[in-house]
Amino acid sequence: MALRNIVTEGDPILRKVCRPVGEVTPRIQMILDDMVETMRDANGVGLAAPQIGIMRRMFVAEPEPERVFCFVDPEIIVMEGEQDSEEGCLSVPGMVGDVKRPEKIVIQGLDRYGKTQKYKFEGFDAIVMCHEFDHLEGVLYVDKAENVRPAEALAEEEEK
């Protein structure tokens, strides 16, 4: 496994729609492993392929320690409800913003072994999956967010 460089806002790759992967090969598995390592090293809870410069439809997420999900060619097939989230992004360092996301989703795609998987997520898990899925569409959270501000402002609010 290897750490990958994380692409930041301003790089045009983050604004492009990713191409399907198609087949999960040993190379795709290696990239997914690198993505998990890179995400953890950066203290993130998710990382999409375009964030490391790869224009393929895949992402990894770890909404809780040791609960890792790998999605290849994912599709969100159900979205229900609405919730407010306060989000940041490894590709938009030092900033946070308020985003409206679905409360519940159903997402399907291939796992790291090429097997079809389907999950229901709600709450924070749904936020993470939707955030990463948006990256595959060339969308950053700041495109949907209100009140985008430096992350330090969040820390100051929490201390009060």
Side-chain angles (χ1 to χ4, degrees):
M1 293 196 303
L3 291 177
R4 303 283 185 124
N5 291 325
I6 297 174
V7 175
T8 56
E9 187 178 25
D11 189 313
I13 200 166
L14 293 172
R15 297 305 188 167
K16 295 181 180 174
V17 176
C18 294
R19 297 184 314 271
V21 173
E23 181 184 358
V24 177
T25 63
R27 175 161 167 64
I28 294 297
Q29 290 174 330
M30 178 196 69
I31 293 168
L32 291 168
D33 292 342
D34 290 353
M35 289 170 66
V36 170
E37 185 177 354
T38 302
M39 171 188 66
R40 287 176 169 166
D41 183 70
N43 295 314
V45 295
L47 188 69
Q51 291 181 274
I52 59 166
I54 297 174
M55 294 306 305
R56 295 293 184 180
R57 297 186 73 79
M58 57 186 179
F59 69 80
V60 299
E62 188 174 26
E64 293 177 1
E66 302 304 317
R67 196 162 62 91
V68 176
F69 297 91
C70 296
F71 278 98
V72 175
D73 293 338
E75 293 178 71
I76 297 175
I77 56 175
V78 174
M79 289 192 273
E80 295 177 1
E82 186 176 84
Q83 63 179 321
D84 294 321
S85 68
E86 191 166 67
E87 298 181 25
C89 180
L90 297 175
S91 291
V92 188
M95 303 300 286
V96 295
D98 303 322
V99 183
K100 293 210 179 296
R101 296 279 187 195
E103 173 63 34
K104 299 176 184 179
I105 65 165
V106 176
I107 186 170
Q108 70 180 18
L110 303 177
D111 67 11
R112 70 179 317 279
Y113 304 103
K115 302 242 184 293
T116 300
Q117 60 183 341
K118 185 172 168 180
Y119 287 100
K120 293 179 184 177
F121 292 110
E122 59 183 83
F124 181 68
D125 292 2
I127 291 166
V128 172
M129 302 307 159
C130 288
H131 177 111
E132 298 311 323
F133 183 85
D134 278 354
H135 279 295
L136 307 182
E137 298 295 320
V139 175
L140 296 176
Y141 86 94
V142 292
D143 301 335
K144 298 179 171 189
E146 294 181 5
N147 191 24
V148 177
R149 60 205 176 275
E152 300 88 61
L154 173 63
E156 289 170 12
E157 287 172 22
E158 290 176 351
E159 288 175 7
K160 292 179 185 175

